[in-house]
Amino acid sequence: MTVVAMSHGEISRFDTLMRVDRGELRVEDAAALLGLKRRQIFRLLERLRTEGASGVVSRQRGRPSNWRHSDAFRERILSLVREHYADFGPTLAREYLAERHAISIGCETLRQLMIEAGIWQDRAARRSRPYQPRHRRDCRGELIQIDGSDHEWFEDRGPRCTLLVYIDDATSELMHLKMVESESTFSYMEATREYIERHGKPVAFYSDKHTVFRNPKATAKGDGMTHFGRALDALNIEIICANSPDAPGRHLLNRRTQ
């Protein structure tokens, strides 16, 4: 299975081109819908037939924009802002750059430069992010939270190790515990096999974004799945990765405080 990341516009383009390829839509109508020329439609159709869905993805993705300022120009602006206008907002800093240094730059461009350099935070970053509580599942065994905790569990009586924990989401019941050397793919596969042999298959596992569960470097050319994810996919078990790192451990913490 291959995962192709697309924007909303690329999804719409893919759907339109597929309709043309199936004979459901004329080339002229597709060109009008997408705002392209006939030759561009034929070029995209050829890429779609030879490369599949990835052929519709923009070739500019991952490449610097043609309108990008040079690195020297960007560094000069950031040096001036750090030296003279570090406590200014982007709008005011832009005005001073134009008046005192004869430098013309777009306000949003300067804002992004300052954010990337850590000089300025946008409004969303300055606000604390409230998290909507996730409701528990209704049935025991439906969703199982899995997590690992690296700790000196045996103090000086044994080597440092990791405790793998499997917790039922509906009841907060500790379903399975296993001590392993490290939080690795092999360790999770072995512990999951033991869990399934004892309790059966769950509908889904709920985890953090550890590299065992989620590939942080997934690209359009790869399927975006880890070895553990492929094993679960073969068993028809879904893997859900939490948006916040501490989310899977919340029920475990609640158990400890009860």
Side-chain angles (χ1 to χ4, degrees):
M1 181 179 66
T2 300
V3 177
V4 180
M6 289 185 175
S7 65
H8 290 294
E10 288 166 346
I11 292 174
S12 175
R13 176 176 293 186
F14 174 74
D15 180 65
T16 301
L17 292 173
M18 287 298 295
R19 291 172 61 193
V20 174
D21 195 48
R22 293 193 299 263
E24 300 173 0
L25 192 67
R26 298 187 309 166
V27 173
E28 293 80 4
D29 296 331
L33 286 172
L34 299 177
L36 300 174
K37 302 293 186 182
R38 281 173 52 89
R39 65 176 182 276
Q40 292 175 301
I41 296 295
F42 285 117
R43 190 181 302 123
L44 288 171
L45 282 172
E46 182 64 25
R47 281 166 47 184
L48 178 65
R49 290 162 182 162
T50 56
E51 302 176 29
S54 60
V56 183
V57 176
S58 173
R59 292 292 196 267
Q60 282 297 112
R61 179 172 296 177
R63 299 179 182 178
S65 169
N66 295 332
W67 299 98
R68 176 186 172 93
H69 294 293
S70 68
D71 291 340
F73 180 74
R74 291 157 61 92
E75 188 56 41
R76 181 189 174 199
I77 289 176
L78 290 175
S79 297
L80 289 171
V81 172
R82 286 193 186 99
E83 184 177 356
H84 303 288
Y85 316 116
D87 56 345
F88 285 28
T91 303
L92 185 58
R94 174 178 175 269
E95 293 176 3
Y96 274 80
L97 286 172
E99 293 176 4
R100 298 185 178 181
H101 308 280
I103 294 177
S104 177
I105 185 172
C107 186
E108 185 57 31
T109 301
L110 180 58
R111 186 191 311 278
Q112 293 303 321
L113 285 177
M114 293 173 68
I115 291 174
E116 290 174 8
I119 303 173
W120 176 258
Q121 286 187 328
D122 61 14
R123 187 174 300 173
R126 292 195 297 270
R127 289 198 305 262
S128 60
R129 296 178 60 190
Y131 288 96
Q132 181 70 25
R134 182 182 59 81
H135 297 292
R136 294 178 182 232
R137 297 295 177 96
D138 296 327
C139 301
R140 180 180 183 272
E142 180 181 355
L143 178 67
I144 302 299
Q145 299 180 34
I146 52 177
D147 200 5
S149 178
D150 179 60
H151 186 66
E152 297 284 354
W153 291 104
F154 302 105
E155 299 176 345
D156 57 352
R157 294 165 293 172
R160 187 183 183 93
C161 60
T162 297
L163 175 64
L164 302 185
V165 184
Y166 290 61
I167 306 172
D168 182 73
D169 186 70
T171 64
S172 290
E173 179 183 353
L174 290 174
M175 304 295 289
H176 187 61
L177 300 172
K178 186 177 181 63
M179 290 288 188
V180 296
E181 291 184 0
S182 63
E183 199 173 358
S184 65
T185 298
F186 178 79
S187 299
Y188 271 108
M189 283 187 172
E190 186 176 27
T192 301
R193 177 181 59 80
E194 295 172 358
Y195 173 87
I196 293 174
E197 288 177 348
R198 183 174 180 181
H199 300 287
K201 291 196 306 179
V203 175
F205 282 119
Y206 185 64
S207 70
D208 58 15
K209 292 185 178 180
H210 192 281
T211 52
V212 170
F213 313 115
R214 176 180 175 271
N215 183 2
K217 298 181 180 179
T219 63
K221 295 183 180 180
D223 60 14
M225 297 179 68
T226 64
H227 293 301
F228 185 74
R230 292 190 185 95
L232 293 184
D233 184 64
L235 294 170
N236 198 27
I237 300 174
E238 185 182 3
I239 181 74
I240 303 172
C241 293
N243 287 324
S244 58
D246 59 335
R250 288 176 185 169
H251 288 313
L252 179 58
L253 291 174
N254 290 338
R255 285 181 57 87
R256 291 176 178 173
T257 56
Q258 288 176 353

